[in-house]
Amino acid sequence: MRIDGRENNQIRPVKITNNYLMSPQGSVLIEMGNTKVICTATVENSTARHLVGTGQGWVTAEYGMLPGSTGTRKKRDKGGKQDGRSVEIQRLIGRALRSVVDMEKLGERTIWIDCDVIQADGGTRTASITGAFVAMVEAMKWMKAQGMISELPVTAMVSAISVGINGDERILDLCYAEDSHAKVDMNVVMTDKGEFIEVQGTGEECPFTREDLNELLALAEKGCRDLHAVQKEITGEI
Ligand code: UDP
């Protein structure tokens, strides 16, 4: 039995609240159990510097944790100084989203994704990706309504989930208490077509076998599928 009574293949209760903020073109609050992240998508009418003149747009992401989001106060990022973990996570979020965006169709614009963790209980990077995808699509719908684009420039839906091994159990969607004891820890990003975008797996306390990997990927696939269903309640079919 897991700490919170879940089955090994069960994700935490997920809730995505759309239009959470007034100003950004896309904004959601995603809650996965006690993990809560505000994800916004803001449209800027110019592309990244290296793409000017190419007709292509760009999607980029920033990630941060608020001081009160963790058990011990997390120092606020100041003066543009970010810890390595935040940089690693925001690059993951940006890559994950870019993999399903048609940059030609987006045109010379940038979609800025901001993921701010207001409460961290494990899986903040995966919740960020799942929420940010919805915020990004909502921003694209806004662009379409403005006549900036004629169709949504996305090729698939994206969600992400963690999996790991605790004791002898392979489990889906680890909360912090589980994550902190996990022997193996993995983050998986997938499309709704069942394709992989990124797989990051680490044998933190011991190596893992091919059979473990296969089983963990099967669990992650189930989790991502569950999340795509929740995302579609807001985005509709893409
Ligand atoms: N955590 C924390 N302070 C930190 C970093 C992490 O309290 O500076 C906690 C937090 O609950 C987070 C969990 O550890 O969700 C797991 O962190 P990890 O780096 O594995 O990333 P995540 O699982 O959140 O994507």
Side-chain angles (χ1 to χ4, degrees), residues 43-60:
V43 178
E44 189 180 274
N45 220 353
S46 59
T47 191
R49 206 179 308 164
H50 68 283
L51 294 171
V52 171
T54 63
Q56 292 180 48
W58 192 241
V59 176
T60 189

Side-chain angles (χ1 to χ4, degrees), residues 10 24 27 30-31 60 86 111 130 144 148 153 181 196 210:
Q10 201 180 351
S27 67
I30 181 164
E31 297 169 77
T60 189
S86 295
I111 300 181
T130 303
K144 192 172 169 209
M148 296 167 86
H181 292 110
F196 294 101
R210 173 49 115 16

Side-chain angles (χ1 to χ4, degrees), residues 62-231:
E62 294 191 1
Y63 165 100
M65 290 170 96
L66 283 186
S69 66
T70 60
T72 48
R73 181 179 185 274
K74 181 159 171 77
K75 268 197 176 168
R76 202 179 285 274
D77 290 332
K78 280 191 187 138
K81 274 196 185 157
Q82 274 183 310
D83 63 21
R85 176 180 173 276
S86 295
V87 173
E88 175 195 333
I89 292 176
Q90 68 192 27
R91 293 189 65 210
L92 168 68
I93 299 167
R95 280 198 303 277
L97 297 179
R98 283 195 294 276
S99 71
V100 296
V101 173
D102 183 328
M103 296 300 174
E104 305 265 341
K105 283 188 188 155
L106 179 60
E108 290 202 11
R109 300 171 185 107
T110 302
I111 300 181
W112 285 89
I113 302 293
D114 287 286
C115 297
D116 288 283
V117 178
I118 58 174
Q119 188 162 280
D121 187 31
T124 63
R125 75 193 67 198
T126 50
S128 294
I129 292 168
T130 303
F133 177 80
V134 175
M136 181 180 78
V137 169
E138 292 301 300
M140 288 169 170
K141 286 185 189 168
W142 175 87
M143 292 172 78
K144 192 172 169 209
Q146 298 293 307
M148 296 167 86
I149 49 177
S150 55
E151 54 182 315
L152 297 189
V154 276
T155 55
M157 304 195 66
V158 176
S159 68
I161 198 80
S162 73
V163 284
I165 302 180
N166 235 349
D168 294 329
E169 303 291 326
R170 302 177 184 119
I171 54 176
L172 177 64
D173 189 21
L174 285 67
C175 65
Y176 176 67
E178 291 174 326
D179 183 272
S180 56
H181 292 110
K183 295 195 292 193
V184 176
D185 185 24
M186 203 171 285
N187 290 294
V188 180
V189 187
M190 293 188 76
T191 70
D192 61 333
K193 298 171 183 167
E195 302 152 319
F196 294 101
I197 295 173
E198 190 143 335
V199 178
Q200 298 183 334
T202 313
E204 292 190 356
E205 281 178 23
C206 60
F208 56 93
T209 64
R210 173 49 115 16
E211 193 195 341
D212 287 329
L213 178 61
N214 290 345
E215 286 290 322
L216 289 171
L217 290 178
L219 274 180
E221 188 174 3
K222 194 249 173 203
C224 285
R225 211 180 313 125
D226 291 345
L227 290 170
H228 287 132
V230 178
Q231 290 175 311

